[in-house]
Amino acid sequence: MRRITDLSLLSGMLRLIVLYIVILSLNGCASTKSVHEKYQPIPRHLEEYIERNEFSVAKGEDVIGQLAFIGLERGDSLPDIARHFSLGINGVTAANPGVDIWVPEAGERIMLPLSFILPDAPRSGIVINLAAMRLFQFKGDSESLKVLTYPVGVGTEERPSPTGQMNVWRKVVRPTWHVPASIAEDHRKKGDPLPAEVLPGPLNPLGEYALYLSKPSYLVHGTNKPASIGLRATNGCIRLYPEDVKKLYENTPVKTAVNIVDQPYLIGQRNGLVYMEVHASLEDVDDDEFDKMYRKLKKIEKESGRMIDWNKVKKVLAEARGIPVPIFEIRQGSGKGVAEPVEVRHPGELYGRPEIPELRADAWSVLAADVPDRIEAVRLAAIINHQGPQIPARVVSKNASYHVVAGPFNDISEAKDAIKRLKIDLEIDGILIEREAAKPPAPGAVKESPLAAEIAKTAESINLRGYALQIGVYAEEKNALSLAEKLKQKGYEASILKNGKKPLHRVLIGRFDTKKKALDESRLILQKEGIKSIIYRY
């Protein structure tokens, strides 16, 4: 990789394109999001299910799948949406710039990037595109070709995944991880010494299934960290969601060819249209791949006898959303049209979403943080919940602040292990909360029995974000109580929120998932009762 400022080897056209991207990038994420919103198509269909893994490949075509949209619900996070639809977090965030990963707005409509351009490689065996962080497994022949595709996590910049031709050497169910010396040394420096080998179980980073490649020390395997799929987070291996690696394992014979490529710029055809898909960052440009993409586009121009709209190309490069975008009709009138995106109904339950058990006063727990802002507390709890293996966490409101509490843990050793992992993985200094029934206190424990009992009674789930209508604010509680009583007599769901160092008493009506619902209710109350309100975000 060479820095984007090294333009000496690029053609004049390429230099203009790259400079355009650099200038556009100076406007930051806000500019990207406005482009995203402006060109976001509105689907006309509603679907209960959309295919996410298995597709037929039409002869002579390169684009598979279909884009979709889904409305988010309160408590959703993008990693949970990504896993349910077999997408990597990279794909979901790139397709939806500006959306909060951990605490997105309830009611927000996001794209599911379930359409892909196949890599420029022979369509047999397994092909992995590191740039797209996606694996493609081909079945059948050119007359009846199918492809199974899954998102993957790949190597970091320090320990990148290899490229080139190899094959599946052997397969193992419930593999033992033999810790490489370099990785053991990294963990030792962080104060996290590893054993020489890690047996199968929840602490094994290889998961339940592993395909060992003919290139020594590299594997395609599962994971105990599902939220890392779609990230550069491995030591060079390729990791998949647990449910995806099981299907891959069952469908892959030993000696299957594996071709690993790194193609950030993809050009493909479907229904008479040329599509472009970009996974390159604005900071680095792979000159060889960039030049290859440019030559393909010039060849299409020459063969068609028509000029490509280079402004479209610039937009796709600038946005780099990782989705196939139509840029050219091969022959005028030959295109059958762009496949319309569909709207997918939100599932009743997101597959793989971390479960958060109820806190108990008779169990151990850990205070991970005490923050004044509820949204930040919810965000931190979500991040902790998505550690692998999971550390269950939730938010507990206490006076004018919010506690992020991990647990419950059945014994003190589990709680102390969670404290250690919070420190190593997230640089969080957790405080041990002793279970209420523990006598005498264990050495090193911080006795907080009253807090433990309170947590067990008042713990809230991660699903906290919303809106209410604020009708009035009072310093005196009796005035707030009087107004709330009058509102209740009129049939409204009134409540009082007390917060601040010098407590103010807010009289609120209702709880709403979205700001729009709150605004609609505010207008209705004003029209019906003449009561004015403002939107309060809790």
Side-chain angles (χ1 to χ4, degrees):
M1 293 288 216
R2 282 187 283 270
R3 300 293 301 173
I4 197 168
T5 50
D6 180 11
L7 306 178
S8 58
L9 300 181
L10 302 180
S11 68
M13 175 64 75
L14 288 178
R15 285 198 297 273
L16 289 174
I17 291 173
V18 174
L19 287 171
Y20 174 91
I21 295 172
V22 173
I23 293 168
L24 186 64
S25 71
L26 295 177
N27 293 320
C29 295
S31 173
T32 307
K33 188 172 184 183
S34 66
V35 172
H36 159 60
E37 291 170 344
K38 182 177 179 181
Y39 293 99
Q40 182 170 296
I42 305 297
R44 300 176 183 175
H45 307 290
L46 178 65
E47 301 289 343
E48 297 292 334
Y49 174 82
I50 185 169
E51 182 55 60
R52 58 205 73 178
N53 295 119
E54 186 171 344
F55 303 94
S56 296
V57 183
K59 190 174 182 179
E61 300 205 338
D62 316 289
V63 185
I64 58 172
Q66 188 172 16
L67 299 177
F69 287 85
I70 189 170
L72 298 179
E73 293 186 355
R74 195 172 169 211
D76 285 347
S77 72
L78 294 195
D80 292 333
I81 292 288
R83 182 173 182 182
H84 184 89
F85 290 98
S86 195
L87 292 164
I89 188 61
N90 65 315
V92 177
T93 54
N96 299 279
V99 177
D100 192 311
I101 294 174
W102 297 108
V103 196
E105 186 85 20
E108 190 155 16
R109 185 166 162 270
I110 67 164
M111 177 185 286
L112 300 175
L114 285 163
S115 183
F116 318 99
I117 296 180
L118 299 176
D120 184 8
R123 294 178 184 177
S124 62
I126 291 172
V127 179
I128 301 168
N129 186 356
L130 299 178
M133 297 191 213
R134 197 144 195 106
L135 179 151
F136 300 87
Q137 182 180 33
F138 295 96
K139 298 284 186 179
D141 53 35
S142 59
E143 298 300 322
S144 180
L145 186 64
K146 286 192 174 181
V147 60
L148 298 123
T149 179
Y150 310 103
V152 299
V154 302
T156 63
E157 290 187 6
E158 295 77 20
R159 291 196 175 106
S161 300
T163 58
Q165 295 277 356
M166 52 204 82
N167 60 60
V168 176
W169 177 48
R170 64 187 178 104
K171 305 188 333 182
V172 177
V173 177
R174 292 180 58 79
T176 293
W177 182 40
H178 300 278
V179 182
S182 58
I183 296 174
E185 177 63 14
D186 287 348
H187 279 257
R188 188 191 64 77
K189 289 178 179 177
K190 293 193 298 182
D192 182 29
L194 295 174
E197 58 182 37
V198 178
L199 298 177
L203 299 180
N204 190 320
L206 302 185
E208 294 291 303
Y209 300 89
L211 292 80
Y212 290 74
L213 301 180
S214 55
K215 189 174 182 66
S217 77
Y218 291 100
L219 295 74
V220 176
H221 60 79
T223 184
N224 61 356
K225 298 180 183 294
S228 69
I229 301 303
L231 297 176
R232 298 187 182 276
T234 80
N235 290 293
C237 290
I238 306 296
R239 71 172 60 148
L240 287 82
Y241 287 125
E243 58 275 18
D244 289 347
V245 77
K246 182 177 186 294
K247 289 183 280 189
L248 181 70
Y249 185 96
E250 293 169 347
N251 282 313
T252 305
V254 172
K255 296 185 179 179
T256 296
V258 177
N259 185 8
I260 303 180
V261 300
D262 192 3
Q263 298 176 359
Y265 313 103
L266 300 166
I267 306 293
Q269 298 183 21
R270 180 164 69 176
N271 292 336
L273 295 172
V274 175
Y275 289 77
M276 184 175 180
E277 179 180 321
V278 176
H279 297 274
S281 81
L282 297 176
E283 295 180 357
D284 295 281
V285 167
D286 185 320
D287 293 347
D288 293 337
E289 289 296 326
F290 205 106
D291 200 37
K292 190 187 299 182
M293 174 271 296
Y294 179 70
R295 289 197 302 269
K296 283 183 182 179
L297 293 176
K298 294 303 290 183
K299 182 180 179 183
I300 291 170
E301 267 192 341
K302 183 177 180 181
E303 291 177 349
S304 67
R306 297 186 299 117
M307 287 288 293
I308 283 178
D309 185 344
W310 288 96
N311 284 327
K312 286 185 180 179
V313 174
K314 291 175 185 177
K315 282 181 181 177
V316 179
L317 288 166
E319 294 178 21
R321 292 178 61 197
I323 58 173
V325 180
I327 60 169
F328 189 72
E329 191 175 21
I330 298 171
R331 292 180 302 280
Q332 202 159 4
S334 66
K336 299 178 184 178
V338 180
E340 284 191 10
V342 298
E343 189 86 16
V344 179
R345 189 185 301 278
H346 194 290
E349 184 175 343
L350 292 173
Y351 180 84
R353 171 184 275 175
E355 294 184 3
I356 310 172
E358 294 292 329
L359 283 175
R360 308 189 314 272
D362 64 345
W364 299 86
S365 54
V366 173
L367 178 63
D370 182 2
V371 295
D373 182 77
R374 175 175 279 191
I375 301 304
E376 290 308 311
V378 173
R379 179 175 290 109
L380 180 57
I383 292 170
I384 293 172
N385 264 296
H386 286 79
Q387 292 301 295
Q390 181 199 4
I391 301 175
R394 81 276 298 134
V395 176
V396 178
S397 60
K398 182 175 174 61
N399 298 329
S401 66
Y402 301 91
H403 288 164
V404 179
V405 181
F409 304 106
N410 292 322
D411 57 59
I412 191 171
S413 63
E414 284 185 11
K416 286 187 172 181
D417 183 63
I419 290 174
K420 179 181 176 182
R421 288 181 53 209
L422 287 171
K423 181 64 175 177
I424 291 172
D425 295 345
L426 299 173
E427 298 184 355
I428 290 174
D429 293 313
I431 299 174
L432 186 67
I433 302 173
E434 184 184 287
R435 62 191 177 100
E436 192 173 44
K439 293 179 181 180
V446 177
K447 189 167 184 179
E448 295 279 3
S449 297
L451 180 57
E454 182 181 347
I455 285 169
K457 293 176 183 176
T458 64
E460 302 176 51
S461 74
I462 194 169
N463 192 2
L464 287 164
R465 189 172 184 171
Y467 301 88
L469 302 185
Q470 180 178 295
I471 308 301
V473 181
Y474 299 92
E476 295 290 334
E477 186 175 18
K478 63 180 182 180
N479 294 331
L481 286 170
S482 175
L483 177 57
E485 185 59 34
K486 289 177 182 178
L487 291 168
K488 287 178 181 178
Q489 289 174 4
K490 290 178 177 288
Y492 295 107
E493 182 190 345
S495 61
I496 297 174
L497 178 66
K498 179 179 174 182
N499 58 17
K501 290 183 178 180
K502 293 183 178 179
L504 293 175
H505 302 81
R506 301 176 188 275
V507 181
L508 305 176
I509 289 180
R511 285 197 173 191
F512 307 92
D513 290 342
T514 66
K515 190 173 182 179
K516 182 180 183 303
K517 290 180 182 178
L519 283 169
D520 290 344
E521 184 67 14
S522 177
R523 294 188 188 102
L524 185 64
I525 292 174
L526 180 62
Q527 183 179 2
K528 182 180 176 182
E529 308 281 0
I531 299 174
K532 294 182 179 180
S533 64
I534 64 173
I535 306 301
Y536 179 78
R537 185 181 183 188
Y538 60 86

